[in-house]
Amino acid sequence: MSLLNRERNEEALAAAGEVLRSRSLTQLAIARFLRNRVAVGATAIVIVMILLATFAPIFELLTGYEMDYQDRNFYSGKAPNWDAKHYFGTDQNGRDIFVRTMFGMRISMLVALVAASVALVIGVGYGAISGLAGGLTDTIMMRILDLLISYPLTLIAVIALAYFGRNIFIVFVIIGLVEWQIMARVIRGQVISLRNSDFIEAARAAGVRPIGILVRHIVPNVTGVAIVYMTLIIPEVILVESFLGYLGLGVQEPNTSLGVLISEGANSIERKPWMTYGPGMFLVVLLLALNFVGDGLRDAFDPKDR
Amino acid sequence: MSAPRTPLLSIKDLHIEFDTPDGTVKAVNGINIDLFKGEVLGIVGESGSGKSQSWMATLGLLAENASTSGAVLFDDHNLLNLPTRDLNPIRGNRIAMVFQDPMTSLNPYLTVETQMIEALRIHQKDMSKPAARQRCIQMLDRVAIPDADRRLKQFPHELSGGMRQRVMIALALLNDPEILIADEPTTALDVTIQAEILDILLALQPERGMAVVFITHALGVVAEICSRVCVMYAGQLAEVGPVEDVFTDARHPYTLSLLKATPRAAQDTTEQSNEALYAIPGAPPNMRMPPQGCPFEPRCACANSECSQENPKLEPLDDAPERLKACFRQQSSAELTEALNHGR
Amino acid sequence: MAYALQRFGQMLIIVIIALFAVFSTQRLAPGGPFDGERPPPPAILENLRAYYDMDLSMPAQFYAYLFGMAGREIEANGTAGKAHWFVVPKNAEITTLGGTTDRSTDDDLFVRRFCPWDQWLGQVLPGARAQMRENGTVFRKCGVVRGDFGLSMARRSIYVNDYVRDGLPATLKYAIPSLLFALLLGVPMGFYAAYRQNKPADFIMITIGMFGTVVPNLVMAPLLIFLFAVQLDAFFHWLFVETLEWIELARRQRTLNLIPSGKTGGVMHYVLPTLVLGTGLLGRIVRLSRAGALEALRSNYVRTARAKGLPAHVILLRHVFKPAILPVLTYMGPVTAFILTGSLVIERAFSLPGLGRQFIAAATDRDYTLLMGTTVILLLAIILLNFIVDLLYTWLDPRIRRGGGRS
């Protein structure tokens, strides 16, 4: 991403030169993030999409989610038509796809929130325990993680969902269980480098108790990293949800998700391609924007990784 | 100094800038250095003074985000804007370099043999592999590596730090270069091994008649092996001259401070043992925004208003034309020392 | 080698644990394979459960699944006995493997195929019982370790082995080409991008990498079907039939069907699946190899190589290749996972009869044996590829080769 990061704003740069000496690491990172135009643009897109998803019911009122019973062929689906306010067309049940996409995005956002939080809790817990314990425990835990990364936990999620998943929150939690390993590894690395760092050493020498060190030094320093990697997990989580939805294992009717919509569209791609366009476009744009935000944040917090 | 000699390599008004996400770093700001045949030239300065970068630029080894201006003249070529294709026959062959960190400067994935033979055969295309191998063994013997035949087959991680640096020197000398640039070759090593490496360099230099550029921040090493020295500060030359003259009769406040800040064993114990070691006050300037005047002015005990207005040029001393310095103050070494002591 | 073997051993342990996890999840989850809308009568249900060892305790079931188990007898009236081989009652109707119907004699021993509806299917070993009595031979279910995955639970006349035999090649037919496609194209692309960092070529490669990574399979599949299988065909039809009036073509078939969107048959049916899976992999491999090459290019040893006067291609091939390929190699472990996950989407999107489809069908139908069978195959694929990766690793990295582990 280095190339994109290089596009920068000259004025912000001059300002940042001043900043260099005095501000804290976080402020510096924020300044660096704001200079990354692509990441800022992506953030704006994500915010717009969050708003769209939040106010999805309004679109329902505007465009009419109800089937158009006046039209005897409503069930055959309609191509996009701006006059009829069906911007993305209608599906095989005569429902407006734009509205359906917005509702699908809602589910994606919900997943992003719940599943990423689950992944965050597990990842931070596992990584912190491994990093703090050190020694043999650390070795074993990391070996297990190493091996787990090579296994498709998504497939386990498929099995679990086929057996247990009819409740939407079970779906979310299971997705969260899939995506925690990288977080755990990063947190462990951060904890270990903190443990060995001079200022912790100094605090220990000065007689600060372990709890004090944990609360005062380790937790604040790990939080930033955890948040950055959570933004990187979110697109993964959304992807897994749409994957499960595509396979018919995720959320069930009347709820819908982007994956479910794409799956429905893919079944009739030859006759009704517009059914895939809208949800597909939104999914790709959402994932792309989230990736840019995550990359931008990571670069800003960890500038050596370019 | 009789008739003016023609330099083997001369750096003319070299500027180097690094384009970083946090701003442009002006690492080197217009330096001029002449390197003569058979001499050992010391380059001294703090970390970040641009001493390594200016010679990296000579061989086109700067990072991607660097941009240069000026000229490095060698054998009628300007090395700075020579395309890589034309630069390759020169580097490694006529100008070789030894780097600071022997731990990472050898490729960990290739045997010593591969790395040495390729350096030889790229410049001497008609050399056979066994002949090249023989030459490598000779060269390793020359840098005092025992059991060279076995060492050749090993990977870098199987060698100790001092051993690797000796391999690096052997590697650099394989093609009998006219110029050897040694970029802090002993910094990363133990003191005892440092001495060995210096001995090897000192023994090899006259035997081959090559010019050596010795980049270091250790003044003691410079005093020991160099004939001439360039003192660099903040991307500029502060003082240039024969080592003995500069060290005994420094005319630039920075050189003096540097000398004063060097811990000495033996000789000066009586005088200095009870005092804390001298430290130059302040920190080097931020090279993203170099000061308008003399870069040393904020830390200089002898500075006056002129120094903060204008950047002094590097000019020959009135009483010793082979010596140069960049300072408006024309006092003698003793007077400057007095001012320094006063300033504390 | 020792390192790779050690890793292989660890993987094997994980495989056993994973198998047990799947196995116990199946058994503990509510519902089962036999309680559909019309559950079989109790007697048959009992017989079925006995055949699939489901009346045993869980550890015993797992043991029986792995190693087979001797000694379960099922009587003609359908109650579970203690013998594992099946003694066919005298004069029972037998459908042999050839499909012919037969009547059993007293000493027939029935091996393997068993159909719970008053009908015996399989291989009849005449006089086997007498043989057993004489020299103590024990016939037993083979178990997974001997390559017997058992009968499917949803379609109880089909062996899981047969499912795998049909499904695995169908999956490999696009999985392997897509991996080759991604590696052979992605690694040079990544290297070139790193070599020309911040140049337009680099930007193009980054964009490809980004889109390959971000655009999910499930969007890519319908997109490519629409573009190549639908629109391209329509275009050729328009071009040849309507514009150039190639009557012969029009008479023979409606369209050229140049790149069919899957389902059956020849090589062309696998082009789109390969492309969909391949682009996803390509994106990731471009990014990884670019990052790896960039790191190597910035390293001190490449600076040394440049100082030696080596030309760019020697530096790239000799000094950069090995360290830069290592992250790609490390990724080959997760790549297997990616392909397996992707296969679920792709086989659904292109209606291919691969393992992924069977996996989903097994999960939704509660077909325990089929699910276990496909899981075993998937896990084997993973540890095999990881083993190869570890071997390559030791070959590439001298620090592992001469003792020590991967840092």
Side-chain angles (χ1 to χ4, degrees):
Chain A
M1 288 298 93
S2 57
L3 189 111
L4 298 165
N5 289 333
R6 264 164 213 286
E7 301 180 0
R8 70 181 80 83
N9 185 326
E10 290 300 325
E11 288 159 30
L13 201 139
E18 288 293 321
V19 160
L20 264 171
R21 256 172 257 140
S22 53
R23 300 246 179 107
S24 78
L25 221 62
T26 316
Q27 284 168 314
L28 202 64
I30 290 169
R32 233 184 257 130
F33 183 80
L34 290 179
R35 237 179 302 141
N36 185 342
R37 269 197 238 152
V38 177
V40 172
T43 314
I45 291 177
V46 170
I47 291 172
V48 167
M49 290 183 109
I50 290 175
L51 289 177
L52 283 176
T54 315
F55 296 110
I58 292 180
F59 297 108
E60 186 178 351
L61 293 177
L62 280 178
T63 62
Y65 187 65
E66 287 299 308
M67 299 164 194
D68 186 359
Y69 293 107
Q70 304 297 316
D71 183 351
R72 288 167 70 189
N73 291 326
F74 72 86
Y75 48 81
S76 63
K78 283 261 163 24
N81 181 350
W82 284 75
D83 294 334
K85 289 183 186 164
H86 291 311
Y87 306 118
F88 288 175
T90 59
D91 69 2
Q92 73 280 1
N93 293 329
R95 296 174 293 191
D96 181 66
I97 292 179
F98 180 71
V99 173
R100 300 257 300 157
T101 307
M102 291 306 114
F103 277 95
M105 282 228 301
R106 273 188 145 194
I107 296 289
S108 293
M109 304 279 177
L110 251 174
V111 168
L113 224 65
V114 179
S117 306
V118 172
L120 179 82
V121 169
I122 299 175
V124 169
Y126 193 96
I129 290 172
S130 179
L132 287 173
L136 187 65
T137 322
D138 180 40
T139 314
I140 292 173
M141 285 177 86
M142 278 304 114
R143 216 26 96 71
I144 291 173
L145 200 62
D146 232 21
L147 295 167
L148 272 183
I149 284 180
S150 312
Y151 287 89
L153 286 193
T154 318
L155 297 189
I156 306 279
V158 168
I159 298 174
L161 280 181
Y163 288 173
F164 303 106
R166 287 293 174 261
N167 181 320
I168 193 165
F169 277 94
I170 289 182
V171 174
F172 293 173
V173 170
I174 287 177
I175 294 171
L177 290 176
V178 175
E179 292 286 344
W180 55 272
Q181 299 105 321
I182 291 176
M183 175 73 93
R185 178 169 286 180
V186 170
I187 295 294
R188 172 191 168 264
Q190 184 75 2
V191 167
I192 284 185
S193 76
L194 280 173
R195 250 164 56 103
N196 298 335
S197 68
D198 291 339
F199 70 92
I200 300 273
E201 199 74 23
R204 205 176 290 143
V208 181
R209 277 176 308 170
I211 295 290
I213 291 179
L214 194 70
V215 172
R216 214 56 78 57
H217 297 296
I218 295 191
V219 170
N221 277 298
V222 164
T223 316
V225 177
I227 289 171
V228 169
Y229 275 85
M230 191 162 157
T231 58
L232 288 170
I233 285 180
I234 285 175
E236 297 287 322
V237 161
I238 290 178
L239 195 58
V240 172
E241 194 283 325
S242 63
F243 164 79
L244 293 168
Y246 182 84
L247 298 178
L249 293 167
V251 298
Q252 305 294 324
E253 289 280 353
N255 282 326
T256 189
S257 84
L258 293 177
V260 174
L261 289 171
I262 292 168
S263 162
E264 285 171 4
N267 288 338
S268 50
I269 186 79
E270 292 177 29
R271 305 247 173 73
K272 298 192 270 283
W274 61 85
M275 280 181 65
T276 320
Y277 290 161
M281 194 181 69
F282 266 80
L283 179 62
V284 171
V285 171
L286 183 63
L287 290 175
L288 208 58
L290 283 170
N291 262 298
F292 276 120
V293 173
D295 281 351
L297 275 178
R298 190 188 47 197
D299 287 348
F301 275 89
D302 186 13
K304 68 174 183 295
D305 188 36
R306 293 191 191 168
Chain B
M1 289 296 114
S2 50
R5 293 177 294 168
T6 45
L8 189 56
L9 177 141
S10 68
I11 296 177
K12 300 256 186 251
D13 193 30
L14 177 69
H15 290 261
I16 303 176
E17 290 182 354
F18 290 97
D19 192 22
T20 72
D22 296 322
T24 306
V25 178
K26 294 179 176 132
V28 176
N29 300 308
I31 61 166
N32 294 286
I33 299 176
D34 286 342
L35 178 69
F36 298 98
K37 192 169 178 346
E39 77 168 338
V40 180
L41 177 67
I43 311 285
V44 188
E46 291 170 64
S47 322
S49 60
K51 58 187 192 300
S52 295
Q53 297 304 334
S54 48
W55 292 93
M56 293 273 185
T58 305
L59 283 185
L61 297 177
L62 291 173
E64 283 285 307
N65 59 346
S67 54
T68 55
S69 69
V72 176
L73 300 176
F74 175 71
D75 205 19
D76 300 334
H77 299 298
N78 180 1
L79 297 185
L80 279 191
N81 45 28
L82 214 54
T84 316
R85 189 157 25 88
D86 300 329
L87 193 60
N88 275 338
I90 294 175
R91 51 185 185 187
N93 192 21
R94 302 183 61 192
I95 306 177
M97 195 153 180
V98 175
F99 296 97
Q100 176 176 3
D101 189 0
M103 296 310 197
T104 56
S105 292
L106 288 169
N107 191 326
Y109 301 96
L110 300 173
T111 58
V112 173
E113 180 170 0
T114 317
Q115 301 189 48
M116 289 189 78
I117 288 183
E118 70 175 0
L120 205 51
R121 301 230 301 169
I122 197 76
H123 297 296
Q124 300 174 36
K125 303 262 194 283
D126 49 347
M127 193 177 236
S128 72
K129 251 197 176 149
R133 196 163 193 282
Q134 206 51 46
R135 173 112 177 90
C136 294
I137 292 177
Q138 270 173 18
M139 212 56 233
L140 288 181
D141 280 341
R142 198 66 202 81
V143 295
I145 289 184
D147 204 1
D149 197 37
R150 186 173 62 90
R151 292 290 179 197
L152 271 185
K153 291 191 197 100
Q154 291 188 322
F155 287 95
H157 72 274
E158 294 166 294
L159 307 176
S160 69
M163 199 86 90
R164 282 187 227 181
Q165 194 60 294
R166 276 180 271 184
V167 169
M168 283 298 292
I169 293 174
L171 196 57
L173 296 180
L174 272 175
N175 290 307
D176 274 326
E178 292 154 55
I179 300 173
L180 176 70
I181 302 169
D183 182 8
E184 308 202 30
T186 57
T187 310
L189 302 174
D190 288 345
V191 181
T192 47
I193 298 165
Q194 281 184 16
E196 284 174 29
I197 299 281
L198 287 181
D199 285 345
I200 290 168
L201 274 177
L202 269 185
L204 289 170
Q205 187 264 334
E207 155 185 326
R208 283 155 199 270
M210 61 187 174
V212 173
V213 177
F214 200 92
I215 304 166
T216 183
H217 57 251
L219 294 177
V221 174
V222 173
E224 207 173 308
I225 70 169
C226 298
S227 47
R228 241 166 23 106
V229 62
C230 300
V231 181
M232 282 189 74
Y233 183 75
Q236 298 180 13
L237 286 173
E239 188 163 6
V240 181
V243 170
E244 276 149 55
D245 297 352
V246 171
F247 279 19
T248 53
D249 179 27
R251 298 295 178 83
H252 193 288
Y254 177 64
T255 318
L256 260 178
S257 320
L258 209 58
L259 284 167
K260 220 163 137 44
T262 309
R264 285 168 215 203
Q267 318 120 303
D268 289 337
T269 36
T270 45
E271 190 189 325
Q272 292 210 329
S273 57
N274 290 333
E275 289 179 47
L277 197 61
Y278 177 74
I280 306 175
N286 181 352
M287 298 307 280
R288 289 192 176 85
M289 290 169 285
Q292 179 193 3
C294 171
F296 191 58
E297 179 266 335
R299 305 170 75 186
C300 184
C302 324
N304 63 16
S305 59
E306 187 186 7
C307 297
S308 59
Q309 295 303 317
E310 206 181 324
N311 198 347
K313 288 195 179 61
L314 190 71
E315 277 164 350
L317 297 187
D318 297 338
D319 51 341
E322 77 276 17
R323 294 184 57 184
L324 307 141
K325 74 163 180 176
C327 183
F328 295 120
R329 306 275 70 76
Q330 296 299 337
Q331 288 105 320
S332 72
S333 186
E335 287 163 349
L336 287 172
T337 314
E338 187 59 31
L340 260 184
N341 286 336
H342 231 77
R344 287 167 70 195
Chain C
M1 191 67 199
Y3 165 74
L5 282 178
Q6 183 198 342
R7 292 254 311 167
F8 189 74
Q10 289 169 355
M11 306 282 286
L12 215 58
I13 294 171
I14 296 273
V15 165
I16 306 278
I17 295 173
L19 278 182
F20 187 69
V22 173
F23 196 87
S24 43
T25 317
Q26 286 180 337
R27 259 80 174 162
L28 292 177
F34 306 126
D35 48 26
E37 278 161 26
R38 277 177 52 219
I44 289 179
L45 189 65
E46 204 178 337
N47 212 344
L48 276 170
R49 290 177 61 82
Y51 176 76
Y52 289 109
D53 294 328
M54 286 169 69
D55 51 348
L56 300 176
S57 74
M58 264 249 298
Q61 283 185 40
F62 191 56
Y63 180 85
Y65 181 74
L66 283 185
F67 303 105
M69 192 183 265
R72 287 174 68 92
E73 192 169 11
I74 296 171
E75 299 298 340
N77 58 12
T79 54
K82 64 181 187 321
H84 174 55
W85 31 265
F86 309 109
V87 179
V88 182
K90 190 176 178 183
N91 223 21
E93 196 181 69
I94 294 167
T95 310
T96 62
L97 281 176
T100 53
T101 311
D102 207 352
R103 294 263 161 204
S104 64
T105 63
D106 183 31
D107 272 355
D108 283 354
L109 185 75
F110 167 81
V111 182
R112 294 191 98 187
R113 303 212 164 183
F114 165 64
C115 201
W117 294 282
D118 283 349
Q119 188 194 19
W120 303 87
L121 179 79
Q123 196 176 358
V124 177
L125 300 181
R129 206 168 196 192
Q131 191 190 337
M132 276 184 70
R133 244 180 268 117
E134 276 163 31
N135 51 24
T137 315
V138 179
F139 292 91
R140 43 197 283 164
K141 245 187 205 170
C142 291
V144 168
V145 289
R146 292 184 191 79
D148 179 12
F149 293 122
L151 270 177
S152 158
M153 285 190 182
R155 278 162 288 278
R156 288 178 280 263
S157 59
I158 302 179
Y159 267 94
V160 173
N161 290 40
D162 297 340
Y163 273 118
V164 170
R165 192 195 59 212
D166 296 342
L168 190 60
T171 300
L172 291 182
K173 257 185 214 167
Y174 65 86
I176 290 179
S178 64
L179 186 58
L180 289 179
F181 167 82
L183 278 177
L184 295 182
L185 213 62
V187 172
M189 276 168 71
F191 278 25
Y192 188 71
Y195 178 59
R196 315 232 104 218
Q197 197 198 353
N198 297 334
K199 305 263 164 48
D202 185 29
F203 183 76
I204 293 170
M205 302 295 174
I206 290 177
T207 313
I208 291 175
M210 192 77 200
F211 273 91
T213 317
V214 167
V215 179
N217 289 335
L218 53 120
V219 174
M220 192 77 89
L223 190 75
L224 289 194
I225 291 177
F226 186 66
L227 282 183
F228 289 108
V230 181
Q231 295 297 70
L232 191 71
D233 253 18
F235 170 73
F236 278 126
H237 184 78
W238 170 82
L239 184 71
F240 288 130
V241 180
E242 285 171 27
T243 311
L244 301 176
E245 302 190 344
W246 185 4
I247 305 299
E248 188 58 26
L249 181 74
R251 193 182 296 150
R252 239 184 280 153
Q253 55 190 123
R254 202 178 63 80
T255 62
L256 268 179
N257 209 17
L258 207 60
I259 304 179
S261 64
K263 289 195 173 83
T264 52
V267 181
M268 288 313 279
H269 292 265
Y270 286 94
V271 169
L272 287 183
T274 304
L275 273 182
V276 170
L277 198 57
T279 41
L281 285 171
L282 181 79
R284 285 161 176 82
I285 287 176
V286 167
R287 287 180 114 185
L288 279 172
S289 55
R290 177 179 177 274
L294 265 187
E295 201 187 321
L297 279 172
R298 285 199 204 115
S299 72
N300 284 347
Y301 54 82
V302 165
R303 190 180 62 189
T304 311
R306 284 164 68 202
K308 285 178 192 170
L310 296 177
H313 67 269
V314 174
I315 293 178
L316 275 180
L317 289 181
R318 197 177 294 158
H319 287 268
V320 173
F321 181 77
K322 271 190 185 180
I325 204 78
L326 286 179
V328 179
L329 208 56
T330 312
Y331 180 62
M332 285 300 115
V335 132
T336 334
F338 177 84
I339 290 180
L340 295 176
T341 322
S343 73
L344 305 196
V345 169
I346 281 161
E347 282 163 23
R348 190 187 145 98
F350 295 99
S351 307
L352 295 175
L355 276 186
R357 253 159 83 97
Q358 289 163 2
F359 182 84
I360 295 180
T364 43
D365 297 350
R366 301 288 166 93
D367 192 338
Y368 292 175
T369 40
L370 180 56
L371 187 64
M372 286 299 284
T374 43
T375 309
V376 167
I377 295 295
L378 299 183
L379 290 175
L380 281 183
I382 288 170
I383 66 168
L384 195 70
L385 215 89
N386 274 289
F387 183 61
I388 295 172
V389 166
D390 285 332
L391 278 182
L392 284 174
Y393 228 103
T394 42
W395 176 63
L396 277 175
D397 195 336
R399 281 168 293 190
I400 294 176
R401 201 187 312 162
R402 313 235 169 139
R406 197 194 295 179
S407 56

